[in-house]
């Protein structure tokens, strides 16, 4: 089991959530620091109406993976695991034009030390581990841009529903800023793309795709014409899943996830990820990207 550095977790949580864990929230309650909101989701499963939840990301301007975001995400996943009858989770964004942009580049650019960067990337890995190994079915509901880590977050889910709009761009783009992604992320991408060759053609040049292109590549599973249809598409998939024995689903997921989890447990892979970000060429590209964003 991957764990967060106790020093990092204790210090960060004390600052971020003022010693208060993320609560399972009612539909009307705000999330701690307004980064994440976790709500019960209405489903057609009348026997267990609370078996599905929605996790809404609400961290303007782009739901970036800051330390605060990742810690709250991990806590939300932990608390869902503690509830026995959770069957599914939908992850979505409250921001109108973006799902998530992924990493906060300020955290990656010129970190104070190698250990600080490694702690942060461990936190990133922990968040993805908590999602990828969740004992319930997960759906990414994409109604806005999902580049880089945002695309990776969607890929870590079991199913991806996207809004059919040419204004939306989706894709794994770490090489654009000189980052060599960790092996586990490459294995995850290979398991989702329509073929290893399609994965290679998309990831190496750091291309972004429209939802229709993403559908052809296997990056998303289904398109929806508007926000209502998007929610309905997610709901239909959840209904199919809820009608299936959860033990059988989790057994199959466990078998399919072995290559990704094997790479995730490799500390050498983590060190290589850190080294990639710290390369002078990568740091120069990150600094340039931050300048363009300013």
């Amino acid at each position: 089991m991957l764990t967060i550095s106790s020093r990092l977790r204790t210090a960060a949580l004390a600052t971020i959530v003022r010693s208060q864990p993320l609560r399972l929230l009612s539909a009307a309650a705000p999330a701690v620091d307004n980064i994440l909101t976790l709500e019960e989701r209405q489903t057609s499963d009348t026997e267990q109406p609370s078996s599905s939840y929605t996790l809404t990301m609400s961290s303007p301007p782009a739901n970036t993976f800051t330390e605060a975001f990742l810690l709250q995400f991990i806590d939300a996943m932990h608390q869902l695991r503690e509830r026995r009858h959770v069957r599914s989770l939908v992850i979505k964004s409250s921001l109108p034009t973006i799902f998530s942009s992924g990493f906060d580049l300020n955290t990656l650019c010129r970190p104070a030390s190698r250990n600080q960067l490694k702690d942060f990337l461990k936190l990133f890995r922990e968040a993805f581990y908590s999602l990828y190994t969740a004992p319930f079915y997960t759906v990414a509901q994409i109604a806005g841009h999902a580049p880089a880590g945002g695309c990776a977050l969607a890929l870590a889910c079991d199913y991806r529903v996207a809004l059919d709009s040419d204004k939306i761009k989706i894709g794994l783009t770490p090489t654009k800023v000189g980052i060599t992604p960790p092996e586990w992320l490459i294995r995850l991408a290979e398991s989702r793309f329509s073929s290893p060759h399609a994965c290679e053609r998309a990831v190496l040049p750091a291309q972004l795709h429209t939802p229709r292109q993403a559908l052809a590549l296997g990056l998303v599973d289904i398109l929806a014409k508007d926000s209502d249809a998007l929610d309905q598409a997610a709901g239909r998939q959840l209904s199919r899943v809820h009608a299936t024995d959860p033990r059988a689903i989790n057994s199959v997921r466990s078998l399919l996830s072995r290559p990704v989890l094997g790479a995730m447990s490799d500390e050498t892979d983590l060190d290589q990820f850190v080294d990639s970000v710290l390369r002078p060429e990568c740091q120069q590209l990150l600094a340039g990207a931050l300048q363009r964003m300013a």
Side-chain angles (χ1 to χ4, degrees):
M1 183 72 170
L2 301 174
T3 57
I4 305 171
S5 161
S6 58
R7 175 186 58 78
L8 174 63
R9 184 177 178 83
T10 301
L13 279 177
T15 301
I16 295 164
V17 298
R18 300 175 180 85
S19 300
Q20 298 177 9
L22 182 68
R23 301 182 300 276
L24 284 175
L25 303 167
S26 67
V32 178
D33 287 350
N34 297 318
I35 291 178
L36 300 173
T37 304
L38 190 59
E39 308 169 321
E40 294 182 3
R41 182 182 178 90
Q42 297 299 317
T43 71
S44 58
D45 186 349
T46 57
E47 293 182 3
Q48 293 186 19
S50 298
S51 62
S52 185
Y53 286 81
T54 298
L55 182 66
T56 304
M57 302 177 289
S58 304
S59 183
N63 290 326
T64 51
F65 299 162
T66 61
E67 189 176 271
F69 181 101
L70 294 174
L71 282 166
Q72 288 197 20
F73 188 91
I74 291 165
D75 280 348
M77 298 303 296
H78 174 71
Q79 292 199 32
L80 283 172
R81 284 172 182 266
E82 290 183 334
R83 296 179 71 92
R84 292 183 179 181
H85 301 298
V86 177
R87 292 290 310 276
S88 57
L89 174 70
V90 173
I91 299 177
K92 61 191 293 187
S93 169
S94 69
L95 308 182
T97 61
I98 194 150
F99 178 72
S100 170
S101 65
F103 278 122
D104 173 20
L105 298 187
N106 288 290
T107 306
L108 301 184
C109 189
R110 301 189 181 95
S113 68
R114 188 180 193 280
N115 285 339
Q116 183 189 61
L117 177 62
K118 187 172 183 179
D119 272 341
F120 177 74
L121 294 180
K122 279 184 180 179
L123 196 64
F124 165 71
R125 184 181 66 175
E126 175 79 4
F128 273 71
Y129 181 88
S130 69
L131 174 60
Y132 189 65
T133 62
F136 40 81
Y137 195 81
T138 55
V139 174
Q141 193 165 309
I142 306 167
H145 299 305
C151 179
L153 181 66
L155 291 177
C157 294
D158 296 301
Y159 194 77
R160 287 156 297 285
V161 182
L163 191 64
D164 188 3
S165 169
D166 288 342
K167 295 179 180 180
I168 293 174
K169 302 298 179 184
I170 305 168
L172 281 176
T173 56
T175 58
K176 189 172 184 179
V177 288
I179 294 176
T180 303
E183 182 184 349
W184 64 260
L185 183 51
I186 296 298
R187 298 287 167 255
L188 173 62
E190 284 180 337
S191 72
R192 305 306 197 206
F193 276 83
S194 56
S195 71
H197 183 53
C199 178
E200 180 180 322
R201 285 190 294 112
V203 175
L204 290 183
Q207 286 184 309
L208 288 170
H209 314 279
T210 66
R212 284 185 177 270
Q213 292 169 334
L215 179 67
L217 289 167
L219 274 172
V220 300
D221 296 294
I222 193 169
L223 301 181
K225 62 181 181 179
D226 55 38
S227 57
D228 288 340
L230 193 67
D231 197 60
Q232 291 167 8
R236 285 193 297 272
Q237 181 66 8
L238 295 184
S239 294
R240 289 190 284 267
V241 170
H242 287 201
T244 307
D245 182 355
R247 291 168 296 184
I249 289 178
N250 286 331
S251 293
V252 172
R253 291 169 81 233
S254 178
L255 292 171
L256 293 173
S257 65
R258 285 179 179 175
V260 176
L261 296 181
M264 261 190 186
S265 64
D266 186 352
E267 291 302 309
T268 301
D269 186 46
L270 176 62
D271 285 326
Q272 290 173 345
F273 189 20
V274 174
D275 291 340
S276 167
V277 176
L278 289 176
R279 286 189 309 112
E281 297 87 348
C282 180
Q283 287 295 307
Q284 185 175 358
L285 287 170
L286 287 168
L290 283 170
Q291 280 186 337
R292 290 191 294 274
M293 292 166 57

